Amino acid sequence: MQTLTLSLQRGKTPLYLQIYAALQQEIRTGRLQAGERLPGKRRLAADLSVSVNTVDTAYGMLAAEGYLQSVPRSGFVVCSVAAVPAAAAVPPSAPPSASPKSSFLYDFTTTSIDTSLFPFKTWRRLHQNVLSQQPDLLNHGERPGDEVLRRAIAAHLREHRAVSCGAHQVVVGAGMEYLLGLVARLFSGACFAVENPGYSRTAHILQNNGAAVRFVELDEQGMSVDALSKSGADIAYITPSHQFPTGVTMPAARRYDLLAWARQAPGRYLIEDDYDSEFRFDSKPLPSLQGMDAAERVIYIGTFSKSLAPAFRIAYIVLPQHLLARWNEEFGFYSCTVSRFEQHTLAQMMENGQFAAHLRRLRLAYRRRRDLLTDALRRAFPDITLAGTHTGLHLLAQLPGCDDADILVQTAAQHSVLCSSLSSYDAHAPRQTRAQVVLGYAGLSDDAIASAVQRLSLAWNGAGTRS
Amino acid sequence: MQTLTLSLQRGKTPLYLQIYAALQQEIRTGRLQAGERLPGKRRLAADLSVSVNTVDTAYGMLAAEGYLQSVPRSGFVVCSVAAVPAAAAVPPSAPPSASPKSSFLYDFTTTSIDTSLFPFKTWRRLHQNVLSQQPDLLNHGERPGDEVLRRAIAAHLREHRAVSCGAHQVVVGAGMEYLLGLVARLFSGACFAVENPGYSRTAHILQNNGAAVRFVELDEQGMSVDALSKSGADIAYITPSHQFPTGVTMPAARRYDLLAWARQAPGRYLIEDDYDSEFRFDSKPLPSLQGMDAAERVIYIGTFSKSLAPAFRIAYIVLPQHLLARWNEEFGFYSCTVSRFEQHTLAQMMENGQFAAHLRRLRLAYRRRRDLLTDALRRAFPDITLAGTHTGLHLLAQLPGCDDADILVQTAAQHSVLCSSLSSYDAHAPRQTRAQVVLGYAGLSDDAIASAVQRLSLAWNGAGTRS
């Protein structure tokens, strides 16, 4: 174990993100080597004069991303990661470096998908047709994305999510991260509220594009108007269909409260990230927040990363009509960042009904998987509490007698199962959420789920996990 | 003809860009309708209290992009453009709007490519193989771009452009516009010098990402250290291989002067945009500026838009070693914005030599085209002066007796030939460049070139064009 010297700055970037970035950098550049033990959370927290939870959060993020691994009675140990080799150590003619390898057999992270569900045959055929029949697509396309795709997206959203929009309001871009950055710059000078716990990249992306960010604590219905008002933010980023990571679906009454908040002052907006709304299993989904809004206060963001695959980098936003002129003035000259051939392949798949059919198959497969996982967990842990199972592609698990989910994450890691604690998505402090584990199941096949839960049973029913 | 009311702000955005954006917006939203006449340059300049050249530049950009068309004795007339329909006019269920249609038969703009030269057979086969054999590519890839492509790019640049780099210095992204935006944010607070005349989007992108921009006049060798020093900028964006649009190749001595300037103070950098360096015809190219730099002061930007096609949106930057840590800290968490399947298809094409073979074929085809164009122009206009013909995919033409190239652009447009004047790339004022026309020939087939020059002959040898 070595002494870490990290320089932190009290300022706009949260301390946990600074620690996360600095350690990631140490690991990527090889200054921290695979197998090396990191200092204990308490010690590092004392050295850096930060809270233990701050260090905990940074370690949790690094573990969830495969940079660190938790080892029993050793704390966190550096994994073998060589995606970005050390700058000074690699000469221009450096040999190929190895890809990062996961030491985990089962991956319950929330970013994986099961590649066996992808409709390769359909995609290949459509893509070949587009390549063969439309050579003109080699040239520059329409700047907000080609209209054929924007039309298909608008029609899909109107039908399935009750989003009120036309193709002219849709902007296609290479991933939610890219589009959210543009939104941040559109409202330069505004202050953004983000959900806490939440998707940690959201705050990072907003800050990275010059925005001020406030973390707003959630209650059992999601973000409250009270907490939002206290934050002083102008714009709130929320995930009302399926809050990430808590799994809460925001009730209609709370939605109307937030919409009323947005109407109360000019410059107030709600950014609705509807990242996995396609996957609701047990009831008819609530319509999108955007569809409930009569005052053009909602910017809707969606992605094909879950419904198709992350590899294509296709996401979109739906802008209120009155923001279109401003958007075009600021960003109208940017070329669309998505490959035209893939735009047209997807558009054809949506137009001929194959995308909707694929979604139905996915929904069935993921529901079966959710049922397998919840059944297996309940058999292995009769007293387990599960939450957020009704929709989306992850759930929360809590075991009585264990009030620190990080211990569960660590013992799971010892059994080669990768998962994360709810508190690792929390920018602040200990809360009632510390006891919950987040299990994403989109990346695991039906067979893998049974084996993974067997390992969790060995891990969590073993000695010392629960008090 | 209607009265235009545009509100301009004296500030960081150049006035010509504000006028350009406002008029584009008026046209896109349908407030200015197809066929409508715009006010004369002098009248609008007087109304807005700006110089005639400012209006001229804005009109020139709009004409080059197909928003306006010049009509003899009528001035500029709005073209039919419906890519982004009017916000308020289109209900959510709006019918599909027509794609923008060009009224030009021959397109000498600099952004087109000839789709018949694209190696469809090779690309289709490789892409199918990648889709069939690597289903794992559906998941998230490496954040700076997958290593297989970064390795291939680094090897290509070392061999063909003498760029000194390893794969770990390469970042792949969805277009130069996207990557330049990240560079602007990496150096937030810095002041950027851009070439004048130059690629108008560069300044816009830098400003859009919060950077201050100074336009620096060029001499016959490109940007001078003297002019650069006077600008007070920290970072200079230059196109030394083939200045856009003047076609000047920066001599080695000037390059060393600029590298010395960059070494003189910390925080000084040169951004080398090598956008079409693959296409040098008459002599061995100078190595890249980056390869001449021993002090890590050059950020190299390249694109596959010319060598492959704009549709794929694949560009890259090569970062100096000492900036890697800072880059990773700021942007290391962003997912790569390029489709993984297309990344791997291109990587295979580069690795197996097919990309190099394709480039050789392109170079031959474009050289033949350049010869056809220059021969045809010289036959049609025995006293024509051509410049910038040795490299790249466009050239400059000047006719004696005509000192206003906009007249040539306008009469060409009347004969359905689209081209632009050098002064339309000039942010400032009248200069010696006002007499030159820019002709990009990458998008025209051999046959089309002969017919296009016939039309130019009718246009430019007609009455009234030359004094």
Side-chain angles (χ1 to χ4, degrees):
Chain A
M1 195 186 316
Q2 65 175 81
T3 302
L4 286 174
T5 47
L6 308 176
S7 76
L8 303 181
Q9 298 182 312
R10 311 271 156 177
K12 63 174 190 174
T13 307
L15 293 169
Y16 80 97
L17 278 180
Q18 293 187 45
I19 297 172
Y20 160 81
L23 288 176
Q24 190 192 58
Q25 186 54 28
E26 295 288 309
I27 296 168
R28 285 181 158 190
T29 56
R31 284 190 293 274
L32 276 175
Q33 300 245 325
E36 230 168 319
R37 279 170 59 198
L38 286 188
K41 297 171 194 174
R42 267 163 240 288
R43 206 193 98 198
L44 184 59
D47 287 351
L48 299 173
S49 305
V50 300
S51 80
V52 175
N53 290 308
T54 301
V55 175
D56 203 7
T57 303
Y59 279 14
M61 287 168 68
L62 290 163
E65 298 188 3
Y67 289 97
L68 297 181
Q69 191 173 355
S70 171
V71 172
R73 278 171 293 276
S74 294
F76 283 94
V77 169
V78 176
C79 296
S80 168
V81 177
V84 180
V90 180
S93 58
S97 65
S99 283
K101 283 210 178 55
S102 171
S103 55
F104 297 98
L105 284 174
Y106 301 104
D107 179 354
F108 278 110
T109 55
T110 55
T111 54
S112 296
I113 64 157
D114 178 357
T115 58
S116 73
L117 297 173
F118 183 77
F120 269 110
K121 209 171 137 191
T122 302
W123 185 266
R124 260 202 305 268
R125 192 172 44 73
L126 293 175
H127 193 277
Q128 284 293 79
N129 287 349
V130 171
L131 269 177
S132 308
Q133 291 159 15
Q134 301 189 63
D136 279 352
L137 294 182
L138 285 171
N139 271 306
H140 282 280
E142 292 180 62
R143 290 178 179 163
D146 280 0
E147 188 173 0
V148 61
L149 178 59
R150 289 185 288 112
R151 262 203 329 260
I153 290 171
H156 175 79
L157 293 177
R158 284 196 301 266
E159 183 177 341
H160 295 278
R161 300 295 301 131
V163 171
S164 162
C165 69
H168 61 293
Q169 291 168 268
V170 176
V171 178
V172 174
M176 182 277 259
E177 298 173 349
Y178 169 70
L179 291 169
L180 187 60
L182 296 184
V183 171
R185 277 144 61 199
L186 186 71
F187 298 110
S188 74
C191 176
F192 289 74
V194 300
E195 300 172 322
N196 190 46
Y199 184 57
S200 64
R201 287 190 195 178
T202 306
H204 200 150
I205 292 162
L206 293 169
Q207 290 170 332
N208 197 274
N209 283 278
V213 171
R214 302 280 176 273
F215 290 89
V216 173
E217 302 293 315
L218 307 180
D219 64 22
E220 66 289 344
Q221 303 195 333
M223 194 180 281
S224 73
V225 169
D226 195 38
L228 176 54
S229 300
K230 279 186 191 136
S231 77
D234 315 294
I235 299 173
Y237 168 96
I238 51 179
T239 49
S241 295
H242 186 222
Q243 203 276 328
F244 186 87
T246 63
V248 167
T249 296
M250 187 181 283
R254 174 62 60 87
R255 294 172 184 229
Y256 285 116
D257 288 349
L258 286 172
L259 289 170
W261 169 86
R263 280 196 306 273
Q264 274 162 18
R268 283 192 183 168
Y269 290 94
L270 300 166
I271 300 172
E272 176 179 27
D273 184 351
D274 214 23
Y275 66 102
D276 72 355
S277 58
E278 293 89 351
F279 307 110
R280 186 159 182 114
F281 307 124
D282 300 330
S283 57
K284 201 170 153 51
L286 278 174
S288 65
L289 187 68
Q290 199 268 8
M292 301 166 75
D293 168 31
E296 301 196 7
R297 292 288 123 195
V298 177
I299 294 157
Y300 181 93
I301 300 192
T303 175
F304 290 96
S305 286
K306 306 261 178 204
S307 56
L308 206 60
F312 298 109
R313 313 309 304 147
I314 311 182
Y316 50 86
I317 55 175
V318 179
L319 291 165
Q321 305 254 15
H322 72 276
L323 286 178
L324 290 176
R326 190 162 145 196
W327 180 277
N328 283 328
E329 198 170 328
E330 288 277 322
F331 309 121
F333 75 100
Y334 279 109
S335 296
C336 180
T337 42
V338 179
S339 156
R340 287 186 86 191
F341 292 105
E342 294 184 342
Q343 283 189 55
H344 283 251
T345 303
L346 175 56
Q348 289 198 5
M349 194 172 160
M350 294 179 85
E351 275 180 349
N352 66 18
Q354 287 173 311
F355 181 72
H358 167 61
L359 271 185
R360 283 193 295 274
R361 279 193 299 272
L362 273 189
R363 210 176 286 122
L364 286 176
Y366 287 137
R367 179 159 65 186
R368 190 177 61 237
R369 200 161 291 184
R370 190 247 354 223
D371 293 342
L372 285 171
L373 177 62
T374 53
D375 289 353
L377 285 171
R378 288 196 175 108
R379 269 198 306 276
F381 312 97
D383 50 3
I384 200 168
T385 306
L386 301 178
T389 59
H390 60 298
T391 178
L393 302 173
H394 70 271
L395 54 79
L396 301 187
Q398 181 169 1
L399 291 176
C402 176
D403 55 10
D404 184 353
D406 285 329
I407 295 174
L408 299 178
V409 171
Q410 288 159 24
T411 52
Q414 290 156 26
H415 290 79
S416 303
V417 178
L418 179 61
C419 55
S420 57
S421 65
L422 183 53
S423 62
S424 67
Y425 299 97
D426 193 315
H428 295 322
R431 291 159 29 103
Q432 67 278 24
T433 60
R434 293 197 61 76
Q436 291 180 293
V437 174
V438 179
L439 298 174
Y441 48 87
L444 290 173
S445 69
D446 296 1
D447 291 346
I449 283 179
S451 314
V453 173
Q454 275 184 342
R455 282 180 176 258
L456 287 180
S457 174
L458 288 172
W460 294 348
N461 285 323
T465 307
R466 296 152 77 178
S467 57
Chain B
M1 192 185 321
Q2 66 175 81
T3 302
L4 286 174
T5 48
L6 308 176
S7 76
L8 303 180
Q9 297 181 313
R10 311 271 155 175
K12 62 176 189 173
T13 306
L15 292 170
Y16 79 97
L17 278 180
Q18 293 187 46
I19 298 172
Y20 160 79
L23 287 177
Q24 190 191 58
Q25 186 54 29
E26 295 287 311
I27 296 168
R28 285 180 158 191
T29 56
R31 283 189 294 273
L32 277 175
Q33 300 246 325
E36 229 168 320
R37 280 169 60 196
L38 286 189
K41 296 172 195 175
R42 267 164 237 290
R43 204 192 99 199
L44 184 59
D47 287 350
L48 298 173
S49 305
V50 301
S51 80
V52 175
N53 290 309
T54 300
V55 175
D56 202 9
T57 304
Y59 278 14
M61 288 169 68
L62 291 163
E65 298 187 5
Y67 288 98
L68 297 182
Q69 192 173 354
S70 171
V71 172
R73 279 173 290 276
S74 293
F76 283 96
V77 169
V78 177
C79 297
S80 168
V81 178
V84 180
V90 179
S93 58
S97 65
S99 284
K101 283 211 179 52
S102 171
S103 54
F104 297 98
L105 284 174
Y106 301 105
D107 179 354
F108 278 111
T109 55
T110 55
T111 54
S112 296
I113 66 158
D114 177 359
T115 58
S116 72
L117 297 173
F118 183 76
F120 269 111
K121 210 172 137 191
T122 302
W123 184 266
R124 260 201 305 267
R125 192 172 42 73
L126 292 175
H127 193 275
Q128 284 292 79
N129 287 349
V130 171
L131 269 176
S132 307
Q133 290 160 17
Q134 301 189 63
D136 280 353
L137 294 183
L138 286 171
N139 270 307
H140 282 280
E142 292 179 62
R143 289 175 182 165
D146 280 1
E147 189 174 0
V148 62
L149 178 58
R150 290 184 288 112
R151 261 203 332 261
I153 290 171
H156 175 80
L157 293 178
R158 285 196 301 267
E159 184 178 340
H160 295 277
R161 301 295 302 133
V163 171
S164 163
C165 70
H168 60 294
Q169 291 168 267
V170 176
V171 177
V172 175
M176 182 278 256
E177 299 173 349
Y178 170 70
L179 291 169
L180 186 61
L182 297 183
V183 170
R185 277 144 60 200
L186 186 70
F187 297 110
S188 73
C191 176
F192 289 73
V194 301
E195 300 171 322
N196 190 47
Y199 185 57
S200 64
R201 287 190 195 177
T202 306
H204 200 150
I205 293 162
L206 293 169
Q207 290 169 331
N208 197 275
N209 283 277
V213 171
R214 302 279 175 273
F215 291 89
V216 173
E217 301 295 315
L218 306 181
D219 64 23
E220 66 287 347
Q221 303 196 332
M223 194 180 281
S224 73
V225 168
D226 195 37
L228 176 54
S229 299
K230 279 187 192 135
S231 78
D234 315 293
I235 299 172
Y237 168 95
I238 51 179
T239 49
S241 294
H242 187 222
Q243 202 276 329
F244 185 87
T246 63
V248 168
T249 296
M250 187 182 282
R254 174 64 60 85
R255 293 171 185 230
Y256 285 117
D257 288 349
L258 285 172
L259 289 169
W261 169 87
R263 281 196 306 273
Q264 275 162 17
R268 283 192 182 168
Y269 290 94
L270 301 165
I271 301 173
E272 176 180 24
D273 184 348
D274 214 23
Y275 66 101
D276 71 357
S277 59
E278 294 89 351
F279 307 110
R280 188 163 181 110
F281 307 124
D282 300 331
S283 58
K284 202 171 151 51
L286 278 174
S288 66
L289 187 70
Q290 198 267 10
M292 302 166 75
D293 168 32
E296 300 196 7
R297 291 290 123 193
V298 177
I299 294 157
Y300 181 94
I301 299 193
T303 175
F304 289 97
S305 285
K306 307 260 179 203
S307 56
L308 206 60
F312 298 110
R313 315 307 306 147
I314 311 183
Y316 50 86
I317 55 174
V318 178
L319 291 164
Q321 305 254 15
H322 73 274
L323 285 178
L324 291 175
R326 190 162 143 197
W327 181 278
N328 282 327
E329 198 170 328
E330 288 276 323
F331 309 122
F333 74 101
Y334 279 108
S335 296
C336 180
T337 40
V338 179
S339 156
R340 287 187 87 190
F341 292 105
E342 294 185 340
Q343 284 189 55
H344 282 249
T345 303
L346 175 56
Q348 288 198 6
M349 193 172 161
M350 295 180 85
E351 276 181 348
N352 66 20
Q354 288 173 309
F355 180 72
H358 167 62
L359 271 186
R360 282 192 297 273
R361 279 192 300 272
L362 273 188
R363 211 177 287 122
L364 286 176
Y366 286 137
R367 179 160 63 185
R368 190 178 59 238
R369 201 160 290 185
R370 190 248 351 224
D371 292 343
L372 284 172
L373 178 61
T374 53
D375 289 352
L377 286 171
R378 288 197 177 108
R379 268 198 307 276
F381 312 98
D383 50 1
I384 199 167
T385 306
L386 301 178
T389 59
H390 59 298
T391 179
L393 302 173
H394 70 271
L395 54 79
L396 301 189
Q398 182 171 0
L399 291 176
C402 175
D403 55 9
D404 184 353
D406 285 330
I407 295 175
L408 300 178
V409 171
Q410 289 160 21
T411 51
Q414 289 156 26
H415 290 79
S416 302
V417 178
L418 180 62
C419 55
S420 57
S421 66
L422 182 54
S423 62
S424 67
Y425 299 97
D426 193 315
H428 294 322
R431 291 161 26 102
Q432 67 278 25
T433 59
R434 294 197 61 77
Q436 290 181 293
V437 174
V438 179
L439 298 174
Y441 48 88
L444 290 173
S445 69
D446 296 0
D447 292 345
I449 283 181
S451 315
V453 173
Q454 276 184 343
R455 281 179 177 259
L456 287 180
S457 175
L458 288 173
W460 294 348
N461 285 322
T465 308
R466 295 153 78 178
S467 57

